[in-house]
Amino acid sequence: MYRHIALLLNTALLAGAAGAATLPTDLMLPEPERAARGYVESWVFSIEIESDKLTGMDACRKLLTERGFVPTLSKTASSASPSLHFKIAGHKEYAQSNKEADDVLAAVQQAKCPGTLSWSVTSRQARP
């Protein structure tokens, strides 16, 4: 069973609440009871940026690529929503809590990527 912890924030809110926001490393801590039973977790940090504009998205995709996230760019439209919509999504696995995850989030926030930023931390049972 996986624990899934997610946070969705508008990029405008991130700038004002950066000091008070939850950080990925805050969520990458093992539960003491599970650790005592020998359960070892790893962490998957995922980032998504969604926008109606493609302008500025390439710089954000490049930033995630440089940090090892292997991001993908998807474009969608439908009869219900005919305007083009863009999403960049990438993830990276960490064996333990790692400040690098916080640094990546801060870099994406400082890059002022267009649209809405969402991120999540998911625990997985670590492979032996």
Side-chain angles (χ1 to χ4, degrees):
M1 175 179 251
Y2 298 113
R3 286 184 300 137
H4 183 75
I5 305 165
L7 184 60
L8 172 64
L9 295 172
N10 184 298
T11 52
L13 290 174
L14 290 173
T22 301
L23 297 173
T25 54
D26 295 337
L27 305 173
M28 293 178 170
L29 300 173
E31 291 183 21
E33 297 83 27
R34 291 166 58 123
R37 292 191 316 257
Y39 187 85
V40 179
E41 297 172 296
S42 63
W43 309 96
V44 178
F45 179 42
S46 302
I47 293 180
E48 290 185 357
I49 303 163
E50 296 186 53
S51 179
D52 293 334
K53 300 176 184 177
L54 183 58
T55 306
M57 295 288 274
D58 195 48
C60 296
R61 183 170 59 167
K62 182 179 177 188
L63 187 146
L64 290 174
T65 300
E66 291 169 351
R67 303 291 180 116
F69 276 72
V70 192
T72 58
L73 173 65
S74 60
K75 301 176 244 183
T76 59
S78 67
S79 57
S81 179
S83 64
L84 203 52
H85 183 78
F86 304 94
K87 178 167 75 171
I88 293 174
H91 66 275
K92 186 171 181 180
E93 188 167 343
Y94 295 93
Q96 60 188 16
S97 181
N98 191 319
K99 187 175 176 331
E100 178 188 280
D102 297 343
D103 295 342
V104 170
L105 182 59
V108 170
Q109 292 169 340
Q110 290 172 359
K112 296 187 170 102
C113 300
T116 303
L117 167 68
S118 61
W119 61 270
S120 65
V121 171
T122 307
S123 68
R124 287 191 183 169
Q125 184 169 0
R127 297 181 191 119

